[in-house]
């Protein structure tokens, strides 16, 4: 599983952006605590002039990286949503 995770690209290829909104130009920060086992939840805030503020809530989509049936997928039981909690 570690080998599989190490093969995940460090950059985003253009073909991976098809059908997705590219938010890399936004200042998005994680809301996961320092001791979280994953960092997949984040927010951004944008001022809308005199209209107020917009809060963007972001949850990472790992489907482009974790293939069905892979070791990483099996680790989390193929769940659509992974609940990963720190071990005390």
């Amino acid at each position: 599983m570690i080998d599989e995770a190490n093969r995940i690209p460090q950059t985003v290829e253009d073909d991976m952006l098809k059908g997705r909104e590219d938010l890399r130009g936004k200042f998005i920060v994680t809301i996961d605590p320092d001791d979280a086992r994953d960092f997949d939840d984040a927010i951004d805030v944008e001022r809308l002039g005199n209209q107020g503020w917009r809060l963007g809530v972001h949850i990472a989509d790992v489907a482009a990286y974790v293939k069905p049936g892979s070791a990483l997928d099996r680790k989390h039981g193929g769940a659509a949503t992974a609940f990963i909690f720190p071990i005390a």
Side-chain angles (χ1 to χ4, degrees):
M1 182 175 67
I2 299 299
D3 289 338
E4 188 175 302
N6 286 334
R7 287 193 301 271
I8 294 174
Q10 296 296 309
T11 58
V12 177
E13 302 296 328
D14 288 340
D15 63 322
M16 295 180 79
L17 294 174
K18 291 179 183 164
R20 297 175 181 264
E21 185 177 354
D22 187 355
L23 301 175
R24 292 178 292 175
K26 290 187 172 278
F27 183 70
I28 299 174
V29 296
T30 184
I31 57 173
D32 290 309
D34 290 344
D35 60 351
R37 292 184 59 202
D38 64 354
F39 296 98
D40 60 348
D41 303 313
I43 61 169
D44 78 279
V45 179
E46 178 182 350
R47 184 168 189 128
L48 302 175
N50 294 332
Q51 305 281 318
W53 297 84
R54 177 183 3 224
L55 172 66
V57 178
H58 309 275
I59 302 171
D61 175 11
V62 299
Y65 301 101
V66 179
K67 303 300 181 199
S70 68
L72 289 170
D73 183 49
R74 288 190 307 274
K75 171 71 174 165
H76 296 287
T81 303
F83 296 96
I84 304 171
F85 300 103
I87 298 172

